[in-house]
Amino acid sequence: MAERILLIDDDSRLAAMVSEYLGGAGYRVTPAPSGASGLERLGAEPYDALVLDLTLPDMDGLEVCRRLRARWDLPVLMLTARGDAMDRVVGLEIGADDYLPKPFEPRELLARLKALLRRANRQAKDSLLRFGRLEIDPDARAVRVAGKEAALTSFQFTLLVTLAQNAGRVLSRDALMNLMKGEKLEAFDRSIDVHVSRIRAAIEDDPKKPRRIITVRGAGYVFAKQQS
């Protein structure tokens, strides 16, 4: 499946050239002529990387970068005609992953974009939590057992990730609630025990004899480090 690139640049000729060149290299490019339209597209559909012009008609590219970093995590390659080194520094500090001054060779843009995507793909693989046949993908919020996806609610998924990231540690119910303090309070209206039971039903071979999430009487739960 072709990787999707969002290009935010108000220069229609440059956008057409970049779209054609990257399209010829196998990428699907979606152009957006302003910061607002680019942020709208980011909210409507997923992209694998962003090519962002620093100078836009409606808002500064730095502001676009600040806003997108508050909601999305994807590689950002910033383009600019400005020669001020401070712009480069600020851009990188607020979340741009690389910087390419205009004018540029399309081949260099392609090479830098490929490098960013390789790095992002490695990081995504590194974030996977694997325990035997159980695979937890925090970025995609997906759980698979022997390749088959397990259905969990958003809260149950967060609870499972919390347990898995602390594999081998006994966590009391209070400790789990503290670690999950970013969750909405109403999520705690039902007992942690009920959620654990439902997670077990989704991921255990035999939920009545759990081997992944183990109850430690009087103490809480421990997520097993070694699993089949």
Side-chain angles (χ1 to χ4, degrees), residues 7 17-19 21-22 51 77 79 100 104-115:
L7 170 62
M17 181 272 289
V18 169
S19 297
Y21 191 84
L22 294 181
V51 178
L77 176 60
L79 307 176
L100 186 61
F104 55 83
E105 287 291 330
R107 285 184 299 175
E108 184 178 4
L109 172 65
L110 177 60
R112 287 175 179 265
L113 193 56
K114 283 182 175 179

Side-chain angles (χ1 to χ4, degrees), residues 12-227:
S12 58
R13 292 179 63 185
L14 180 94
M17 181 272 289
V18 169
S19 297
E20 182 178 358
Y21 191 84
L22 294 181
Y27 296 97
R28 291 177 58 193
V29 181
T30 300
S34 66
S37 63
L39 289 169
E40 184 178 349
R41 286 195 175 275
L42 277 169
E45 49 193 322
Y47 291 91
D48 297 293
L50 169 66
V51 178
L52 173 65
D53 186 23
L54 188 58
T55 307
L56 295 167
D58 58 338
M59 68 178 78
D60 194 288
L62 296 174
E63 178 60 24
V64 175
C65 196
R66 285 191 193 95
R67 293 190 189 185
L68 76 89
R69 278 293 176 243
R71 294 183 58 190
W72 300 285
D73 183 19
L74 77 166
V76 177
L77 176 60
M78 190 169 280
L79 307 176
T80 184
R82 299 180 187 175
D84 190 348
M86 186 55 65
D87 287 332
R88 271 198 307 276
V89 172
V90 173
L92 294 170
E93 284 183 344
I94 65 172
D97 297 280
D98 201 357
Y99 187 97
L100 186 61
K102 296 178 179 178
F104 55 83
E105 287 291 330
R107 285 184 299 175
E108 184 178 4
L109 172 65
L110 177 60
R112 287 175 179 265
L113 193 56
K114 283 182 175 179
L116 287 179
L117 288 166
R118 280 197 302 270
R119 190 186 315 158
N121 288 334
R122 281 198 302 269
Q123 290 172 346
K125 289 177 182 176
D126 290 344
S127 71
L128 286 175
L129 300 170
R130 292 190 178 91
F131 299 87
R133 291 172 294 120
L134 175 66
E135 184 179 273
I136 305 168
D137 186 343
D139 295 329
R141 296 189 70 80
V143 180
R144 290 174 287 273
V145 180
K148 184 179 179 181
E149 193 147 344
L152 296 175
T153 66
S154 176
F155 179 76
Q156 288 161 11
F157 180 83
T158 304
L159 176 56
L160 176 60
V161 170
T162 302
L163 286 162
Q165 288 176 337
N166 292 275
R169 288 180 57 197
V170 177
L171 297 175
S172 67
R173 291 159 184 80
D174 286 343
L176 283 168
M177 291 172 73
N178 287 334
L179 288 168
M180 298 173 65
K181 58 188 176 183
E183 288 292 308
K184 294 180 180 178
L185 291 177
E186 56 263 33
F188 296 119
D189 288 346
R190 302 198 66 181
S191 167
I192 287 283
D193 298 337
V194 173
H195 289 294
V196 168
S197 176
R198 291 179 178 172
I199 294 170
R200 283 171 170 164
I203 68 170
E204 296 279 4
D205 295 328
D206 182 353
K208 294 181 179 179
K209 297 178 181 178
R211 295 181 177 275
R212 302 187 192 282
I213 303 175
I214 301 164
T215 300
V216 180
R217 289 187 180 278
Y221 297 101
V222 61
F223 191 86
K225 280 187 174 182
Q226 301 299 321
Q227 302 182 20

